[in-house]
Amino acid sequence: MTNMINLLLFPIILPFLFAILLLFFKENIFMQRLLAFIGLTVSLVAALFLVAKVKTDGIQVITLGSWPAPFGISMVSDMLSALLVTTTLLITLLVVVYSFTSIGKERERYFYYPAILFMITGVNGAFTTGDIFNMFVFFEVLLIASYVLIVLGGEKQQLRESIKYILVNVISSALFVITIAYLYSVVGTLNMADISVKIAQVGQPGIITVIAVLMLIVFGIKGSMFPLYFWLPGSYAAPPVPVLALFGALLTKVGVYAIMRTYTLFFINDIGFTHEILLVLSILTVIGGCIGALAYFDVKQIIIYNIVIAIGVILFGVAQMNEAGISGGIFYLIHDMLIKGALFLLIGIIIYVTGTSNLRKMGGLMKTHAPLGWMYLIAAFGLAGVPPLSGFIGKLLIVKGAFEAGTILGSIIILASSLVVLLSVIRIFIYAFWGAPTAELPVTNHRSYRKMMIPAVLLVILSVLYGVGTEWLIPYMADATDVLLQPSIYIDAVLKE
Amino acid sequence: MELIMAIVIGILFMAAVYLILSRSILKIIIGTGLLSHGAHLLILTMGGLGGIAPPVLADGVTDYADPLPQALILTAIVISFGVTAFILVLAYRTYAEHKTDNMNLMRGNDEHD
C-alpha cells in the first residue's frame, strides 16, 4: 500500500471537506445532520486505519509538497497523536448525535455543524502537525470555530462570556506568535524535529529556558493551568451542553498535548528547572480545581472544575519525565477525554429533565430516571479512578512514576485529590438522585430523553471498556510513551537522510 | 536598528497592556490591535533586519531579506484581521443586548444574571 502515505491527512481533510459541503445546505437540517454524521464516521474509520498503520509501520511522516524535511511543512503522526485524533473523532461523533435532539433547530440552521467540523479540523491538525508555526495556525482554526460555537444563539450570558473568552485567547495567541518569533531568532527553524536538534546543539542556554517558560504560559492559558485557568469556569458555563462537552473534552487537551510535546521534544536539556516549574504548577492546578469542585452547587461548575483537576494530574505525570509518569499521563489524558464527554452529556440530560442546574432544586430522580442514575454513578466512579474503571490505571502509573522520581508529597496530593473528585461528583448523585422527588418536574418529551441517553450511554460503555481493556491497550501506549521519552525516534522519522 | 525596533515594540506592548486593562470594550479592542502590531513587528525584527533586496528572484540579487518571517507575518495578519472583525461585531452585539460597554458591569453567573 505505497499509495496510502496520505492516510495521516485524512482525519484533518475529511472534516474540513464536509464542513465546506455543509455550508451549501444552510436551511436543510436533515442534510446538515446526515452529512455531519457521515463525515465524522468516515474520518473515524480513517483514524482507526491510521492507528493500525502507525502500530505496524512506526511513525508516519509526510512532507507537504515533497519539500525535504526542515524546509517544508511536515505532518507527523506518532502513536500519541494518532490515538488522540481517534478519541477526538469518536467523542465528536457521539456529541453530534446527542446534538440532533438537544441543540435545537435555530442553532442547527445557523452553521452549528460546520463550526463543529471546522473545530475538529483544527484539533486534529494541532495533534498531527510537525511544524510550530503550523501548530499556531491550527490553534487559530480551532479557536475561531470555538468562538462561533460559544456565541451561537446569542443569549445575554453567552455574549458576555464570549467577549472574555475571545479576549483571553487573542492575548494568548499573540503571546504564541511572540514566543515563536523568539524561538525562530535563536534556532532559525520552525520544524519541530529540527528545533529539537538545534536546541540540543546549543545545549539549552538561558534564553531557551525563558522560551520554555513562555511556551508554558501560552499553552497554560489554552489548557487552563494554574494560575491561568481564571477564564475557564465562566466561559464554559455559557454555551449549551453539547458545545460544553466538546470544549471540555477536547479544547483544553490540545493545550496539554502541546505542553507534552514541547516539554518532551524541545526543552529536555535543563529539566531540573523547567520541569520543576511544571511540577509545582500542576500540583497547584490540582489544588485550585479541588477547591472549585467543592465550592459550587451548580452541576456544570462542578464538572468544569473537574477539568482543571484532570489537567493538573496529567501534567503532574508528564513532569516526572520517567516511563511510568509519561505513560500514566497518556492513559489519563485519553481516559479524561472520554469520561468528561460522558459526564457532560449525562449532566446535560439531568439539566434537561429537571430544568435547572442548581443542585439544591433537584432530588429523587432515581425513582423516575433510574438508568440515568446508574450511568451517572458508573461515570462518577470512572472519573474518580475506582479500579475496574478507566481512571484507575492512568493515576496508578502517574503515582508510581512520582514515587520513582521521589516526589512523595505531590503523589499524596494527587491521591487525596481523587477523594475530592469522588466527593464532588457523588454530591451531584446524592442531591439529584436520592431523597424525595421535587414537587414538579418540567414536562419533558420521553422520546428525546431516550434519544439523548443513547450517545451518553455509548460513551460510558466506551470508558468502561477502556478501563477493562487496559491490558489490550498497553502495547499502543508503550509505543506512544517511547516516542515521548526518546526524542531521537521522532527526529529520525522526520529528518530521515 | 534592531535595538530601536525592540524599544518601539516594547512601547507598543506597554500601550496594549494598558489599554487591555481598561474598562471600555472599545479600548480593549484597540489594545489587542496594538498587541498584534507589536507581535508582527517582533517577528520581522527577530528574523533579522539584514538584506538589501526584497526576497524576489531577479538577476544579480545575492543579499536579500529573510523571506520566512514575511510569510509568517502575512499569515498572522490575516488571522488577527479575521479575529478582530469578529470581536468588533461581537462587541456591537453585546452592547446592543447589555446596553453597556463597561466590562465591570458585565459580571454574573447562572444564578445572578
Side-chain angles (χ1 to χ4, degrees), chain A residues 156-157 160 164 184-185, chain B residues 46 66 98 106 110 113:
Chain A
K156 260 186 124 172
Q157 189 198 1
R160 187 182 64 213
K164 299 170 193 170
Y184 179 70
S185 77
Chain B
M46 282 298 168
D66 188 350
H98 284 267
M106 278 194 230
D110 266 354
D113 225 342

Side-chain angles (χ1 to χ4, degrees), chain A residues 320-338:
Chain A
Q320 308 304 330
M321 282 304 269
N322 55 21
E323 197 182 339
I326 287 191
S327 79
I330 297 172
F331 260 111
Y332 203 79
L333 177 58
I334 293 175
H335 142 77
D336 192 62
M337 291 167 82
L338 289 171

Side-chain angles (χ1 to χ4, degrees), chain A residues 133 136-137 140 144 147-148 151 154 156-157 159-164 166-167 170-171 174 177-178 181-182 184-185 190 298 300 357-358, chain B residues 13 20 25 28 32 35 39 42-43 46-47 66 68-69 72 75 79 83 86-87 90-91 93-94 97-98 103 106-110 113:
Chain A
F133 193 79
F136 163 74
V137 174
E140 290 302 309
I144 292 173
Y147 301 158
V148 174
V151 81
K156 260 186 124 172
Q157 189 198 1
L159 287 167
R160 187 182 64 213
E161 299 302 333
S162 322
I163 283 264
K164 299 170 193 170
I166 296 174
L167 279 174
V170 165
I171 291 163
V177 172
I178 291 164
Y182 285 144
Y184 179 70
S185 77
L190 295 169
D298 183 294
K300 275 189 192 173
S357 65
N358 189 338
Chain B
F13 284 160
I20 287 170
I25 293 185
I28 294 174
T32 61
L35 187 66
L42 187 75
I43 307 180
M46 282 298 168
D66 188 350
L68 193 56
L72 302 187
T75 313
I79 290 175
V83 173
F86 187 84
I87 199 171
L90 182 66
R93 280 284 295 151
T94 312
E97 287 279 324
H98 284 267
M103 286 301 274
M106 278 194 230
R107 295 182 210 167
N109 56 34
D110 266 354
D113 225 342

